[in-house]
Amino acid sequence: MVIRIRMEVLFRMKTAVVVMLCLHQMSFSSAQECPSTHDLLNSLRQVEKMLAVHEASYQQGLRSLRKKISALHNSTMAIFKAGATCPKPEPPAHGRRLGRVFGIGHEVHFLCKSGYELIGPRTRVCLDSLKWSGQQPMCRRLNSTDNSLASFTPVARSSPSTSSYSSSSSSFPASAALSASSPSFSSSPVSPLSSSLPTPPPPSSSVRPSHCTHFLGSTRCTCDVGFTISGRDNNICTDIDECRLFPFGQPGRLCVHQCVNTPGSFHCFCPAGYDLARDGRSCTDVDECENRMHNCTLEQVCVNTYGGFQCVTVGCPQMKNATYIKTSPMRCERNPCMLGDKGCTQAPNSISFHFLSVVSNMSAPRVLFRVSAARVLGDTLRFGLAGGRGRGHFSVQRSGRQTGTLLLVTPIKGPAALEAEVEMSELEHNSLLGRYLTKVTLFVSPYEF
């Protein structure tokens, strides 16, 4: 519009110059010769150059004026935004809100109490329109059938619990033996969650329109947290599948066990026998023995395992040449032998029973158990493996003058139940004074946590 006006002005000025030159030519016709056509064209070109310079100066002034107007508008909007806030968001029922600043660009976060799960965005942002992004979240009570560690179904287990894996020790001659009629680990129905998982939301809830704002001829579109913008005009928000971005078994994975994607977020779930940790991603073993969540009888011992428990029966062995009596819940002592009964004197003086729980594929070599003599009557102590299931996974080494160590030498993939019999022999001038047997049962979890 401005350029068209300037062209009209230029045309009028050119016309005026032509008229003036014509009048000038008429005035000279009587007195002297009129200027030639060449001189007139040169004069006209000089006038055009002068007008072009004036027009360029005008355009520069117009651009400068526009910049000043824009700067004034921006400063006015900044002052307006500095004091503008979104309405105070209400915390969801059975939950709470984190964040006390509600200005433009600031975020608030939402959490639910124990036993509830958050439905909706965990984070909302105050937009330029002074509205919060996303929808108001809510807290829904967890279904009692969910396998999310806050609610789980224990497997078969027992009472006086043997703690989860730690390096244990036993001292002799108070050595105990174990006649284990314990069920194998595989008998515990530890099933990784399957049908009890919540049904993933329908695909339509993973796509929603974006939030767009229009200002000074430009458009800015944003998405809720957990969504990515897409579409030809950036008008679509598509859910980010965090579980696929960080798959199970990869470094930086989101969940220790199982990840379930939800619109704008994700949830971690644990198998039966575990609770979801406070970080919302790890799994913590539930001690069913300590919490009395087992079905072991009074005659059985409850052994807590990772993700389950075992009910074991400890009984003294039946031997041909020797008899034993139970002196404690985890130890049997040999009755006195008849004089000259070599078969009886060759039998172990005592048999001890110990139970350990470990995770699957635990790194090796690793110390599992230590056996030591409280007092030494002879001049020599010998340590070794006497038997047991899975001998190829174990080794015994002397770790001190009166101490032997049971080592795990190869990783074990669970679920499994292995047994190692550690024997300590006491000798005097190569004559056997006594044998002390320790039976160590290892329960290996099906999980690596």
Side-chain angles (χ1 to χ4, degrees):
M1 181 66 181
V2 174
I3 295 176
R4 186 171 64 185
I5 294 175
R6 296 301 300 163
M7 294 301 294
E8 292 178 359
V9 172
L10 178 62
F11 175 75
R12 290 176 182 176
M13 292 185 70
K14 287 181 180 179
T15 305
V17 170
V18 172
V19 172
M20 289 174 63
L21 290 174
C22 290
L23 293 175
H24 183 67
Q25 184 177 6
M26 293 175 61
S27 64
F28 272 91
S29 61
S30 59
Q32 57 185 10
E33 245 180 67
C34 201
S36 65
T37 303
H38 178 72
D39 293 337
L40 291 175
L41 291 175
N42 287 339
S43 299
L44 184 59
R45 290 191 186 99
Q46 291 178 2
V47 172
E48 286 179 346
K49 290 181 180 178
M50 180 183 66
L51 291 175
V53 171
H54 281 287
E55 185 174 5
S57 176
Y58 172 79
Q59 293 288 351
Q60 180 66 27
L62 185 61
R63 285 193 293 268
S64 177
L65 180 61
R66 286 177 176 172
K67 289 183 179 179
K68 291 180 180 179
I69 293 175
S70 178
L72 179 62
H73 181 273
N74 291 338
S75 62
T76 303
M77 291 300 295
I79 295 174
F80 170 73
K81 290 181 179 180
T85 61
C86 288
K88 182 178 179 180
E90 294 297 327
H94 308 293
R96 59 192 181 114
R97 182 197 68 240
L98 302 179
R100 299 180 180 179
V101 181
F102 310 134
I104 295 175
H106 287 272
E107 297 179 349
V108 292
H109 308 274
F110 300 93
L111 299 174
C112 290
K113 296 179 181 179
S114 178
Y116 291 84
E117 63 175 342
L118 188 69
I119 304 299
R122 296 180 178 224
T123 302
R124 301 182 73 187
V125 183
C126 181
L127 304 176
D128 294 338
S129 59
L130 300 183
K131 294 182 180 180
W132 291 103
S133 64
Q135 302 295 323
Q136 175 68 19
M138 60 177 290
C139 293
R140 183 179 67 184
R141 182 181 294 276
L142 288 172
N143 194 326
S144 59
T145 61
D146 285 351
N147 236 349
S148 67
L149 260 182
S151 57
F152 81 105
T153 304
V155 291
R157 296 202 223 181
S158 243
S159 83
S161 71
T162 298
S163 61
S164 55
Y165 165 75
S166 63
S167 179
S168 306
S169 64
S170 175
S171 58
F172 288 90
S175 137
L178 148 79
S179 77
S181 56
S182 58
S184 65
F185 191 85
S186 58
S187 64
S188 298
V190 183
S191 58
L193 59 135
S194 53
S195 60
S196 58
L197 280 176
T199 304
S204 59
S205 62
S206 299
V207 179
R208 58 183 62 172
S210 60
H211 311 287
C212 296
T213 55
H214 306 278
F215 180 71
L216 292 180
S218 63
T219 302
R220 179 174 178 267
C221 297
T222 59
C223 293
D224 293 336
V225 176
F227 288 81
T228 181
I229 200 161
S230 60
R232 180 178 299 177
D233 301 321
N234 291 336
N235 59 345
I236 295 177
C237 292
T238 305
D239 173 52
I240 299 173
D241 191 341
E242 296 86 354
C243 301
R244 182 172 295 180
L245 286 177
F246 304 94
F248 175 74
Q250 299 295 325
R253 65 190 183 205
L254 295 177
C255 303
V256 168
H257 182 61
Q258 187 154 354
C259 178
V260 175
N261 186 61
T262 60
S265 184
F266 65 94
H267 288 293
C268 296
F269 291 87
C270 295
Y274 290 86
D275 276 334
L276 193 64
R278 290 187 176 182
D279 60 7
R281 301 180 179 184
S282 305
C283 296
T284 304
D285 175 58
V286 176
D287 191 337
E288 293 85 356
C289 299
E290 182 179 350
N291 297 327
R292 299 184 181 277
M293 302 167 65
H294 61 85
N295 57 357
C296 300
T297 64
L298 296 177
E299 293 77 23
Q300 294 177 317
V301 176
C302 179
V303 180
N304 184 61
T305 61
Y306 286 96
F309 64 92
Q310 291 286 338
C311 296
V312 297
T313 302
V314 179
C316 297
Q318 301 293 326
M319 293 189 179
K320 182 178 180 181
N321 300 320
T323 58
Y324 290 85
I325 184 173
K326 200 170 186 180
T327 57
S328 71
M330 307 293 258
R331 180 177 175 178
C332 295
E333 296 280 351
R334 188 188 68 193
N335 288 317
C337 298
M338 299 292 293
L339 186 62
D341 188 349
K342 291 185 178 181
C344 179
T345 56
Q346 293 291 326
N349 295 54
S350 64
I351 304 175
S352 298
F353 301 90
H354 295 272
F355 303 93
L356 301 178
S357 299
V358 298
V359 297
S360 180
N361 289 321
M362 187 173 63
S363 60
R366 184 181 293 263
V367 175
L368 294 179
F369 197 83
R370 289 186 174 90
V371 178
S372 62
R375 64 181 184 275
V376 180
L377 300 179
D379 54 20
T380 305
L381 281 178
R382 292 178 182 173
F383 298 91
L385 278 176
R389 301 186 304 274
R391 293 187 60 182
H393 295 284
F394 303 107
S395 175
V396 173
Q397 295 181 358
R398 180 184 289 273
S399 55
R401 183 174 176 271
Q402 299 177 205
T403 304
T405 301
L406 176 65
L407 298 174
L408 177 69
V409 294
T410 60
I412 305 173
K413 182 175 178 58
L418 303 178
E419 185 179 281
E421 296 182 358
V422 181
E423 181 181 288
M424 182 180 70
S425 301
E426 188 175 14
L427 300 96
E428 176 74 28
H429 301 302
N430 291 327
S431 297
L432 183 65
L433 297 181
R435 295 174 58 215
Y436 306 94
L437 195 64
T438 301
K439 292 189 176 183
V440 180
T441 302
L442 200 66
F443 293 114
V444 185
S445 168
Y447 308 105
E448 297 184 6
F449 50 85

